Amino acid sequence: MNTRALRAAALTTVPAALVAALLVSPPATAQAAAKANLKVTKATVDKTTVVEGDELTVTHTVQNRGRRKAGASTTRVYLTTDVAGSLAERRASHTDPRSSVTDLRLDGAASIKSLAPGAKRTSRSITFTVPVGLPAGDYKVLVCADDHGKVKESDEGDNCTAATKPVTITEVPGSEDLSLQTFADTFSWPDDESSALQFVKIFCKSTYPVKSYSLTTALKSTQAFLEDKAPGGIEQLRSSGLVDTAEEAQNTAAAAVTGGSPGLALAALLEAYRLQPSRGTHLVNAAAIATSVGLPNQALAFLDAAVGKDFLRTPLGIPHEATAAVVRGQALVMTGRLDAAERLFTSAKQLAPILSEADAGLATVAACKGKDAIAARYIRRSRQRSDEEVPKTPPTEEPVRPDPEIDITRGEEVPLRQLPLAQTPSQGVDMYEVYDGIAQGFFGEIDANNKEYDRIRQHLRDTDDARTPAEIDRREGLLTLLYRAGEEGEVETAYDALVKQIDKLVEHNEEFFGGGTGEAPYTYGTLQDRAFATCEGSQDPNCFDKEIHRTCVPALTSAHNEWVSLMRQAQTKANTYFRLLSKRMTGVAANLLDEEAQRLGLVQVEALERSTYAFLVQQGQHWTLNEKVHRDHCVDDLPPEILNPPADVTAASPGLCEGPLKAIKVKATLGPTSLSVNCEKIEQGFSQEIIPLLHVFVDVKFDFRTGNVSVWAGVKGGGKLPGGIADASFKSGIYVKVDQRGDLVDTGWRVGPTANVAGGKFGAFKDEIDLSFTSSLTPGY
């Protein structure tokens, strides 16, 4: 905001909700009685370009064209952009003196002595000052005789004459480089204006009947209103010592406005006018308060009486004509005169573009006329003070909130805590407790953070009496900006990137372990289904554990490596986001003048650091908890009893069948083949002699209970040795053992010799001996 904003960023004389323009009414009827009639017959200026704040010398001649002597009078000078329009407005005006809202008065006056009928008087080398804050541009100089309205004239509407040369007003050189942090620019705008639009429409339904008041009757009516609301209040105020002087009364009124006591403010302003009746500022301010308490007709009378009186310039140079215009416009709206209010709101906005109150008034008029879209744009424009000139026509595009003029370059990056990552599934199982412990520690941090926030807030409330309302608004606006720093462009983009990365981690977790809606297939569920299918019908009680372990361990190892990569990317995105966020937040906090308010901002930074870090911690918790839950199938080694189970026979078939099953027994021999069937197993043998005492054989055994199959093939021999002194036999060959799924369990060479010697046995081998070709020595076949 340039120097225009510096001059007009704060309007201390008018509440922001009060907007209006000067009232125009039908011309008064000229009286036929003989009277004086003053008129400026000639006016010149000494320069055609003047910088705001500088002086302009005006030479003019005043003539009495009436039929009676004119007493002493005062000439004042105005600037106008439309001479014809201004003169027409003055002729139609009913104020004394006649006035035009489009005219800007210069500081200064020229005294004219009494004039006899037909006499002239020329005033030379009288200087007038161009007030600082007048809009730059090209103007005509309008010189008006009897501008205090002291002389009773036959024609009150012909007192003014324009100088022959126009004047260009320019800004002070270098003023465009000046800036001011305004109190309004830190507040955020709502997403839409629907709520505000409904509020302004209240004025459309609450109109007051038009009633004409003189200043005297308006004062009496207002005092009666105050007495009714607070009997004896005016006398108490006068005896309180708070309104002994006009200045004290003004200060009391300002305090009452900020304290939410409009009745007290109005009473104090009327006292200020009573003590200082020459000051029009008191009446304009009283009119502003009168509209806020439902006295629009009385407000109009106050504004009429203020015309021609002296005004104090606002600290930032807002023309008092514009200030009076916005107040009068609100009174016109409240009495149902929308067209007149609209014209004058527009004029006020041209006089002082920074008066956003005029935009609010135009919004009310548009809303009352059913033009909601235009009204919403006016409301949006009224949210930001700006000295940029605006067209007289309604806005056609949605106004965009400009960036607040604050210095955020002093912001510093706050580091984000870094999360250690489990590098393997087995580390993940162990680190679940670490992640969970970090998360549990957040509760203590949150509690301490909340207590510090409450302490600072209470301290600020306790000390706000020493701050002005503007300072409090400024602080709260900056804190709002700080809280909403995450909505700023690159910060919001970085946050969105972090959230997308967190979503990838959630999806990765669900893709492997399941979760979410439970409808999509997931890796562990698929491996479970395959393991169940593989082990269907198996007699091995550990089949499923073996199968799921065989497939899940490598699958989880691969998924864990991907999780580590995703977590590293998330950590990088979290660092980027919080680096941008913390720098902006601390930059905004640096604009807070109060150290405790700055600390309040830093408390919020700490809270957001924790919430950002919690994103990562939560993902660590979720993943490692699943690894812990699935450790038996997907992480830890299988125990020995599952890898090398005991013999199936002893486990499943400890002996012969019991009960009636024992009766099941079949034996049959058919040539070289023998068959034996009982309740436990089927045995089939084949034997064929190839030479005397030497046979080839094949033995097959199937165990019902275990589902195991063994095949033994080779040669055997037996019979009487020569001399009949002994009986000898042997049996040896290759054996193969398979389980119920057809998987090879063992293979090797099996021998089983026996010998009978006269008088006893030797080489006492009662069972076969297996010489395994593999490391698995599984009995039971």
Side-chain angles (χ1 to χ4, degrees):
M1 183 175 295
N2 63 23
T3 186
R4 294 297 185 193
L6 185 147
R7 297 165 185 144
L11 181 59
T12 58
T13 59
V14 184
L18 303 180
V19 283
L22 294 175
L23 178 62
V24 177
S25 61
T29 302
Q31 297 184 14
K35 293 182 178 180
N37 186 32
L38 297 178
K39 181 178 177 61
V40 174
T41 59
K42 183 179 180 181
T44 61
V45 294
D46 68 333
K47 62 186 72 170
T48 56
T49 300
V50 61
V51 177
E52 55 179 339
D54 285 353
E55 293 180 340
L56 183 69
T57 300
V58 178
T59 299
H60 71 287
T61 299
V62 177
Q63 183 181 19
N64 179 6
R65 293 185 173 182
R67 296 162 57 187
R68 283 180 176 262
K69 181 180 178 180
S73 63
T74 300
T75 300
R76 292 194 293 193
V77 176
Y78 294 84
L79 298 180
T80 180
T81 57
D82 181 6
V83 173
S86 176
L87 293 177
E89 228 179 295
R90 287 174 180 276
R91 292 189 188 98
S93 171
H94 77 317
T95 62
D96 186 16
R98 305 294 178 89
S99 59
S100 171
V101 70
T102 59
D103 297 345
L104 297 169
R105 196 174 79 206
L106 303 186
D107 293 337
S111 297
I112 303 296
K113 295 181 179 180
S114 60
L115 290 172
K120 298 180 181 180
R121 192 175 299 277
T122 299
S123 179
R124 305 178 185 276
S125 303
I126 303 299
T127 59
F128 296 83
T129 302
V130 177
V132 173
L134 259 61
D138 295 331
Y139 295 92
K140 286 284 190 173
V141 177
L142 201 61
V143 184
C144 298
D146 190 29
D147 203 50
H148 281 157
K150 298 296 184 180
V151 179
K152 301 301 180 183
E153 302 181 62
S154 59
D155 186 356
E156 298 282 1
D158 68 346
N159 290 25
C160 302
T161 297
T164 54
K165 295 180 180 179
V167 172
T168 299
I169 305 298
T170 62
E171 295 182 3
V172 177
S175 61
E176 65 276 4
D177 298 327
L178 300 177
S179 64
L180 174 71
Q181 297 176 2
T182 66
F183 292 104
D185 65 6
T186 57
F187 284 99
S188 300
W189 291 7
D191 294 333
D192 62 67
E193 301 297 348
S194 56
S195 296
L197 185 60
Q198 294 304 313
F199 173 77
V200 299
K201 285 188 174 183
I202 296 174
F203 295 98
C204 308
K205 303 175 183 178
S206 304
T207 57
Y208 296 81
V210 176
K211 186 175 181 180
S212 179
Y213 284 96
S214 67
L215 176 60
T216 300
T217 57
L219 289 171
K220 290 181 178 179
S221 174
T222 304
Q223 289 171 345
F225 171 85
L226 294 174
E227 282 293 329
D228 179 64
K229 299 298 181 181
I234 295 178
E235 287 303 321
Q236 292 178 15
L237 178 63
R238 289 176 177 174
S239 61
S240 66
L242 297 175
V243 293
D244 290 344
T245 66
E247 184 178 359
E248 289 175 343
Q250 274 195 150
N251 294 336
T252 298
V257 168
T258 59
S261 300
L264 174 60
L266 182 54
L269 287 170
L270 294 183
E271 285 300 299
Y273 171 71
R274 184 178 66 84
L275 295 168
Q276 195 176 32
S278 63
R279 186 63 52 79
T281 307
H282 304 318
L283 289 174
V284 172
N285 290 342
I289 302 300
T291 59
S292 71
V293 297
L295 303 175
N297 291 300
Q298 291 86 336
L300 292 171
F302 295 157
L303 293 169
D304 288 346
V307 173
K309 295 186 181 297
D310 294 330
F311 283 84
L312 291 175
R313 287 282 170 182
T314 60
L316 298 174
I318 300 174
H320 76 268
E321 295 90 346
T323 301
V326 294
V327 179
R328 188 182 291 271
Q330 183 62 27
L332 291 176
V333 169
M334 294 173 67
T335 52
R337 289 171 280 186
L338 298 179
D339 289 339
E342 183 176 16
R343 289 193 301 271
L344 301 173
F345 281 140
T346 302
S347 297
K349 185 66 176 177
Q350 298 303 310
L351 290 177
I354 204 163
L355 281 180
S356 59
E357 290 82 359
D359 292 313
L362 289 167
T364 303
V365 171
C368 293
K369 291 184 175 182
K371 302 176 181 179
D372 287 2
I374 294 176
R377 295 189 194 111
Y378 274 128
I379 291 172
R380 208 149 187 83
R381 198 170 76 180
S382 73
R383 294 189 178 278
Q384 189 77 23
R385 294 195 185 277
S386 172
D387 66 333
E388 298 297 327
E389 293 185 15
V390 296
K392 295 181 180 180
T393 55
T396 57
E397 297 181 356
E398 188 82 0
V400 178
R401 178 182 183 274
D403 292 332
E405 295 195 11
I406 58 175
D407 180 12
I408 62 171
T409 61
R410 291 174 289 170
E412 296 182 0
E413 297 175 7
V414 177
L416 180 69
R417 282 173 277 186
Q418 303 299 291
L419 187 69
L421 299 179
Q423 298 301 308
T424 64
S426 60
Q427 286 184 6
V429 172
D430 295 334
M431 288 192 67
Y432 168 73
E433 302 297 336
V434 175
Y435 296 144
D436 190 58
I438 294 174
Q440 294 300 318
F442 289 154
F443 292 105
E445 292 184 25
I446 293 172
D447 183 61
N449 193 268
N450 289 340
K451 289 180 179 178
E452 179 69 356
Y453 177 88
D454 292 341
R455 181 195 68 78
I456 297 172
R457 270 297 180 191
Q458 187 60 51
H459 169 79
L460 293 176
R461 285 192 292 269
D462 293 341
T463 57
D464 271 348
D465 288 345
R467 301 181 181 93
T468 66
E471 288 172 332
I472 296 172
D473 287 345
R474 175 74 172 176
R475 180 190 72 206
E476 295 305 315
L478 286 169
L479 287 172
T480 299
L481 282 180
L482 185 144
Y483 298 150
R484 302 185 67 173
E487 300 174 9
E488 190 272 335
E490 61 177 352
V491 180
E492 187 174 30
T493 300
Y495 178 78
D496 290 342
L498 172 60
V499 171
K500 289 180 181 178
Q501 188 64 27
I502 296 298
D503 289 343
K504 289 181 181 179
L505 282 161
V506 172
E507 292 171 2
H508 180 64
N509 198 325
E510 293 177 354
E511 285 172 358
F512 192 89
F513 293 110
T517 62
E519 298 173 357
Y522 57 99
T523 300
Y524 181 75
T526 301
L527 297 178
Q528 276 186 313
D529 293 341
R530 291 175 182 173
F532 280 124
T534 299
C535 293
E536 184 176 2
S538 172
Q539 296 301 312
D540 183 359
N542 299 317
C543 177
F544 174 79
D545 290 332
K546 293 177 181 177
E547 184 62 24
I548 191 68
H549 188 272
R550 182 181 67 82
T551 56
C552 189
V553 168
L556 179 56
T557 299
S558 175
H560 186 93
N561 290 337
E562 185 176 353
W563 175 80
V564 172
S565 176
L566 291 173
M567 283 293 288
R568 285 174 177 163
Q569 294 175 48
Q571 183 81 66
T572 299
K573 287 177 168 43
N575 289 339
T576 299
Y577 160 66
F578 195 69
R579 174 175 54 81
L580 295 171
L581 177 66
S582 61
K583 186 175 179 64
R584 185 167 186 83
M585 292 179 72
T586 56
V588 174
N591 291 269
L592 291 162
L593 301 180
D594 190 286
E595 291 185 3
E596 285 290 86
Q598 288 187 8
R599 174 58 189 153
L600 192 65
L602 296 180
V603 166
Q604 183 66 12
V605 174
E606 293 169 2
L608 289 176
E609 189 277 338
R610 179 174 54 256
S611 64
T612 305
Y613 185 51
F615 271 150
L616 305 174
V617 175
Q618 186 180 57
Q619 294 309 309
Q621 279 182 288
H622 290 172
W623 182 261
T624 57
L625 175 61
N626 277 320
E627 289 184 324
K628 184 176 182 179
V629 170
H630 298 84
R631 65 187 302 173
D632 290 342
H633 289 164
C634 305
V635 180
D636 293 343
D637 294 335
L638 287 175
E641 60 269 20
I642 293 179
L643 288 172
N644 296 294
D648 291 338
V649 168
T650 57
S653 181
L656 295 176
C657 303
E658 299 180 358
L661 294 177
K662 291 182 179 180
I664 300 177
K665 186 177 292 186
V666 177
K667 285 189 177 182
T669 301
L670 182 61
T673 302
S674 62
L675 178 65
S676 174
V677 179
N678 60 31
C679 65
E680 289 186 331
K681 57 190 173 182
I682 299 176
E683 292 181 297
Q684 184 175 15
F686 172 83
S687 177
Q688 179 69 47
E689 185 177 51
I690 53 175
I691 60 174
L693 300 180
L694 186 63
H695 297 71
V696 295
F697 73 93
V698 178
D699 290 340
V700 179
K701 181 172 68 174
F702 175 74
D703 191 303
F704 281 116
R705 292 193 174 186
T706 64
N708 298 330
V709 177
S710 66
V711 179
W712 184 16
V715 296
K716 64 180 180 178
K720 294 282 186 179
L721 294 175
I725 60 172
D727 223 357
S729 66
F730 69 93
K731 190 176 185 180
S732 63
I734 297 293
Y735 70 88
V736 177
K737 303 175 184 180
V738 296
D739 61 19
Q740 59 185 345
R741 296 176 299 177
D743 292 341
L744 179 65
V745 176
D746 192 17
T747 184
W749 186 265
R750 177 178 292 168
V751 295
T754 61
N756 290 326
V757 181
K761 287 186 177 182
F762 66 90
F765 298 105
K766 296 182 179 179
D767 297 309
E768 297 88 0
I769 297 176
D770 291 343
L771 304 176
S772 176
F773 296 158
T774 70
S775 59
S776 177
L777 301 175
T778 305
Y781 287 84

